[in-house]
Amino acid sequence: MKKLTQRFLRDNKGVTALEYGLIAGLIVIVIATSVKGLGTDLNTVFGNIANALTGNNAAANGG
């Protein structure tokens, strides 16, 4: 039993896989946060453009 425990503690394969999993998870979180922020900014930009176009059409039509 002692040999099995020592061999298990020396085995680094599981640790490496866990590290890669954590790195991948952090990358996913960063990408999701960036996309959410970018989506909000784009929504604001397109909203401003729509308001500007609507305002210009109302002024051109005598409104």
Side-chain angles (χ1 to χ4, degrees):
M1 185 69 174
K2 186 176 179 180
K3 280 187 175 184
L4 180 65
T5 305
Q6 288 175 345
R7 187 172 37 168
F8 177 75
L9 292 174
R10 282 184 287 186
D11 187 11
N12 292 330
K13 292 178 185 175
V15 175
T16 303
L18 180 65
E19 290 170 350
Y20 284 136
L22 289 173
I23 290 170
L26 289 173
I27 290 172
V28 167
I29 291 171
V30 168
I31 290 172
T33 304
S34 299
V35 168
K36 182 179 179 183
L38 182 63
T40 303
D41 292 344
L42 284 176
N43 191 22
T44 303
V45 168
F46 286 125
N48 291 339
I49 291 170
N51 289 335
L53 290 175
T54 304
N56 289 338
N57 288 337
N61 293 329

